[in-house]
Amino acid sequence: MTLETFLLLAAALFCVGLFGALSQQSIVMLIMGLELMVNGVLVAGAGFWYWVSPGTADGQVLVLVAITVMALEMAMGFAVVTALFRARDVDMTDDAGDLRG
């Protein structure tokens, strides 16, 4: 595969994630769009690593750590959304932004 193929895939993932993050009002769909955007960045990073130095494992380790951090972020995000839904019965971003005192 060429670098252009990696970058085209990364741009497609990023654009689909950006559209999903900007067009959805559900908090879960917003988080999924943000995760797609981060995946696009990771694919671009992995593509550059493969293009620059395919013989070393430094890029693979960095991508593996980034995916692990993404999984933790996603779990924390869903935990916050679940707690917000249980406390306020809210699942839309407009309703979740209102502060109650």
Side-chain angles (χ1 to χ4, degrees):
M1 292 180 67
T2 63
L3 180 61
E4 290 83 16
T5 308
F6 281 115
L7 294 180
L8 185 63
L9 176 65
L13 279 173
F14 190 85
C15 289
V16 168
L18 183 64
F19 177 75
L22 293 178
S23 67
Q24 299 296 322
Q25 289 186 352
S26 172
I27 298 173
V28 174
M29 295 300 288
L30 175 71
I31 291 174
M32 288 172 58
L34 293 173
E35 289 296 319
L36 273 175
M37 291 169 61
V38 173
N39 280 333
V41 171
L42 281 175
V43 167
F48 278 120
W49 159 79
Y50 182 73
W51 184 258
V52 171
S53 62
T56 62
D58 296 339
Q60 289 177 350
V61 171
L62 180 64
V63 168
L64 185 64
V65 168
I67 289 173
T68 305
V69 169
M70 273 181 31
L72 290 172
E73 172 202 354
M74 194 69 148
M76 292 296 294
F78 282 129
V80 168
V81 170
T82 303
L84 184 65
F85 184 75
R86 287 182 180 175
R88 295 190 193 171
D89 198 29
V90 169
D91 63 344
M92 296 298 198
T93 56
D94 294 336
D95 300 332
D98 296 335
L99 295 176
R100 292 187 196 171

